[in-house]
Structure formats: C-alpha cells, structure tokens
Amino acid sequence: MNKNYYAILMAGGVGSRFWPVSTTAFPKQFHDMLGSGDTLIQKTFSRLSKLIPVENILILTNERYNDLVLEQLPMVKQKQVLLEPAMRNTAPCILYASLKIQKQNPDAVMVVAPSDHWIEDETAFAANLQQCFDFCQKENALMTLGIQPTFPNTGFGYIEFDKSDTNPIKKVNQFREKPDYETAKSFLEQGNFLWNGGIFIWSVKSVTAAFGKFQPQMNVLFQKGFECYNTENEKQFINDNYAMAENISIDYAVMEKADNVYVLPATFDWNDLGTWGQLHEKIDKDENNNGVINAKVILENASNNIVRSDANKIIVIDGLHDYIIVDKEGVLMIYPKSKEQDIKRITALANKL
C-alpha cells in the first residue's frame, strides 16, 4: 500500500429519486440497493481500500449521517469523517479535505469518488485508478475518469477530449452540459465524448494550486484554518466558517476553468444508480424482465417491473407493465417507470402529508 495514496469518499447526498427507500434521514448510499449484502458506501469503501490504505480514506458527509458512517464502516475512525455543517455543493468540501490532506502529507495524490455508484469490474477500476495516480504523481494534472457512453443519455454531463490525442490519457477540450437527445446522439457519433462520472484524481499540490488560481476567495477562507486542521480546533473553525463558502460544484469552480485537465476513458462497467430505472438495469431479471429485490412475489401477466420490499410479505402482481413497486414501512409506491423523474416532486408532496 502506498502511503501517499488518499481518497475522499463523497457521502452527503440524499438520493431523493429513490424514495421511499432513500430518505433524508437514511439516504441511498447507506442502503443495500441491489440486494448484494453490502450497502453502496460499504462496496465503494471496499473497492478503494484495495489500493488505498484504510486510514487514508476520508468520508465527506453531512453531520446528520455521522453515526450511520461509523456504524457501516467500523474500520473508520472519527477523525476520518469530515462533517459539513452546511450544504455547499462539492467544491468547498473538496478544498477542505484537500487542505487537511496537504497538511498531513504534501506528497499526496488522491481520488474523489461518489459513495453511491455501482462498479462491477473492481480489478479494472483499480488498474484505471493506478494509471491515474501514476500520471498525477509526475504531471501537474487535474484528472477525471470518463465513462464510455453506451447510449445517448441526456441525464449526464459529457467530457469532450482531443480526438487527435493517441495517448491512453487524453487532454480534455471541454466539459459539456447535459444535452438534449439529438445533441447526445451527435456526441456518440463523434466518438470523442465520455460521460462525466464525477470521479476525480489529482495531486494535492495540483488541486490546491487550482483553487488558489480559480477560487481565490474560497481558498483564502479555508486557508485561514490551515493551522487548525488535524487538531482539536478544526471542528470549531469549520463550524464557524464553512457556511460562508460559495455553493458551487467542483466542475464549475475548477474543472471547467483549468487548462491542465485530462481524462482516462474507463475500462470498467459503471452505473450511477440515479433512478429506479437505472437500478432495474443492474439487477437480475426473470424471463419477462421483472427485477425483484428482497421480496417474495407472484407475478402474472407482468413485465419490465422493478419490485422491492423490506418486509417479509408476499406481493402479488397481475397486469402491470413498466412499473416501480416499492413497499417500505409506511409507504407503498406503485408508479410508472416512464414518470420516474417526477419521484422527486412526489417525495416533496409526501413530506407534507
């Protein structure tokens, strides 16, 4: 294990499109969404720990999830859990974690990874990550792992790389916003576009220099606490100052402004598990394309449904096609898959009841 390798595991999201399983009090990264025996954060931590020392993996999360993190990752010490006292998107928390790591080890290289994505080929993931670490140790580079697009998805941002670059690691031309369908189709036809999976790799020197250049105000705010980091005064400084940071993503704050951005096209399967439909793609299905998680079912004249239940009850379905059926404590949801983007709105309505 290389002591200069670090990870920042992003675990603060709510995953509201997975209601009623994922809630503000207990979001999707802390659930076994696929019925695999491990929660998403446990799978991600295990995957990273194959290359990165356990003590060098930091968990970035909201204060309310501190106990959940420590319960699900018993190998993690409290000092590895960085608690955001306010929701400020990804740039402030990444700068905070990066400065904390820099104080501990100025030679560090790190990966920033979401805690709720699904990656099947963990060997390929480790090989890709190693390639990125090797590059970032030698070069002043901000890197991302780009996902090979399999269809014209309009729900992801895209990374456009230099078509003429024959190196395995490509120079990024630009980041592109979530496109409409026709634009997404043209991206795939051009062949030099990848999905932005939100996995970033860089040396601590490169990323802190980039924040100094592109986010001077935020940089000054967090640099003020440098002496406090990794001491008993850190928590007080963060509680007093964190909310003053701008609410901005790492993409807007740094990646889209920098000219030293590179991408490695990933060789592993990836799914960001953003919706019930994406979850349906990843689980085993019967001959009628019904996917079932933790439920006992009788299915007749039913196809292309996803059924999930935490209760030990029999669910009988007849005549339903393309539906999400979720039974969770006080909620039963039977909802068309074609309208799954509306689940966020339904969640808000349910919270008012």
Side-chain angles (χ1 to χ4, degrees):
M1 286 275 173
N2 189 321
K3 63 179 175 45
N4 292 336
Y5 291 174
Y6 285 76
I8 300 172
L9 195 48
M10 310 290 277
V14 176
S16 52
R17 286 190 180 87
F18 274 110
W19 186 82
V21 169
S22 180
T23 62
T24 306
F26 205 115
K28 70 169 179 173
Q29 60 268 30
F30 301 109
H31 288 278
D32 176 7
M33 294 301 297
L34 291 105
S36 69
D38 288 312
T39 65
L40 293 176
I41 193 171
Q42 287 171 334
K43 288 289 287 182
T44 308
F45 192 94
S46 167
R47 186 163 61 242
L48 291 170
S49 66
K50 288 179 170 64
L51 202 61
I52 297 160
V54 164
E55 64 275 14
N56 287 1
I57 303 176
L58 305 182
I59 320 294
L60 265 167
T61 192
N62 193 278
E63 284 179 331
R64 71 178 78 178
Y65 307 137
N66 185 59
D67 290 348
L68 275 173
V69 169
L70 295 173
E71 181 187 315
Q72 294 201 2
L73 302 173
M75 70 295 285
V76 163
K77 296 184 171 63
Q78 180 66 67
K79 66 180 181 180
Q80 291 169 251
V81 186
L82 279 57
L83 302 174
E84 303 166 85
M87 300 289 251
R88 283 295 177 272
N89 215 312
T90 52
C93 60
I94 287 172
L95 176 56
Y96 163 37
S98 300
L99 289 171
K100 194 173 155 64
I101 291 169
Q102 186 177 40
K103 189 178 179 193
Q104 187 179 330
N105 182 351
D107 297 321
V109 288
M110 60 175 141
V111 57
V112 177
S115 60
D116 54 0
H117 291 182
W118 185 256
I119 292 168
E120 278 179 46
D121 190 343
E122 299 197 342
T123 306
F125 172 80
N128 285 178
L129 185 54
Q130 183 69 64
Q131 213 175 335
C132 294
F133 277 163
D134 291 345
F135 187 78
C136 290
Q137 277 183 316
K138 295 193 204 91
E139 308 287 340
N140 174 26
L142 305 175
M143 276 200 73
T144 181
L145 274 168
I147 311 301
Q148 301 279 4
T150 50
F151 67 100
N153 195 318
T154 57
F156 297 143
Y158 284 71
I159 302 160
E160 180 186 351
F161 62 83
D162 185 348
K163 220 173 194 172
S164 65
D165 194 337
T166 55
N167 297 303
I169 291 169
K170 317 287 187 187
K171 188 88 163 64
V172 171
N173 282 352
Q174 60 180 325
F175 287 82
R176 303 289 288 264
E177 297 296 315
K178 294 174 183 175
D180 60 29
Y181 184 73
E182 288 306 317
T183 308
K185 258 172 64 176
S186 80
F187 286 173
L188 264 67
E189 285 160 10
Q190 289 173 65
N192 60 323
F193 285 82
L194 302 162
W195 287 337
N196 183 358
I199 303 169
F200 304 104
I201 305 97
W202 40 55
S203 69
V204 76
K205 290 188 186 90
S206 294
V207 73
T208 52
F211 269 104
K213 185 175 180 181
F214 300 115
Q215 297 296 325
Q217 197 175 345
M218 190 187 297
N219 190 50
V220 167
L221 176 68
F222 283 97
Q223 287 281 5
K224 277 194 312 187
F226 197 77
E227 292 306 311
C228 301
Y229 298 143
N230 307 326
T231 75
E232 59 189 18
N233 300 321
E234 178 182 327
K235 185 171 172 54
Q236 190 61 55
F237 172 82
I238 290 299
N239 286 345
D240 292 346
N241 292 278
Y242 195 89
M244 289 188 248
E246 186 184 350
N247 188 344
I248 186 170
S249 72
I250 190 69
D251 299 73
Y252 284 129
V254 173
M255 299 301 278
E256 293 183 11
K257 294 179 166 66
D259 60 4
N260 59 333
V261 181
Y262 294 83
V263 63
L264 175 67
T267 59
F268 51 82
D269 288 336
W270 171 91
N271 192 307
D272 83 330
L273 295 185
T275 63
W276 285 109
Q278 286 169 331
L279 181 62
H280 183 249
E281 287 172 26
K282 299 313 295 179
I283 57 175
D284 292 337
K285 290 170 278 288
D286 66 13
E287 65 277 7
N288 296 311
N289 209 36
N290 295 298
V292 179
I293 306 169
N294 298 342
K296 297 175 182 174
V297 294
I298 297 170
L299 294 163
E300 296 190 342
N301 184 29
S303 65
N304 207 33
N305 300 299
I306 179 166
V307 186
R308 175 175 171 127
S309 171
D310 285 344
N312 189 19
K313 65 174 69 170
I314 296 168
I315 297 176
V316 182
I317 296 167
D318 190 338
L320 273 188
H321 306 276
D322 297 307
Y323 269 78
I324 301 160
I325 302 108
V326 183
D327 178 52
K328 178 81 167 70
E329 291 160 2
V331 180
L332 172 63
M333 181 176 76
I334 304 166
Y335 206 74
K337 276 171 70 185
S338 61
K339 294 176 70 178
E340 66 177 1
Q341 295 301 330
D342 287 348
I343 289 177
K344 223 173 181 176
R345 180 179 61 80
I346 298 299
T347 307
L349 293 174
N351 289 337
K352 292 176 184 171
L353 294 176

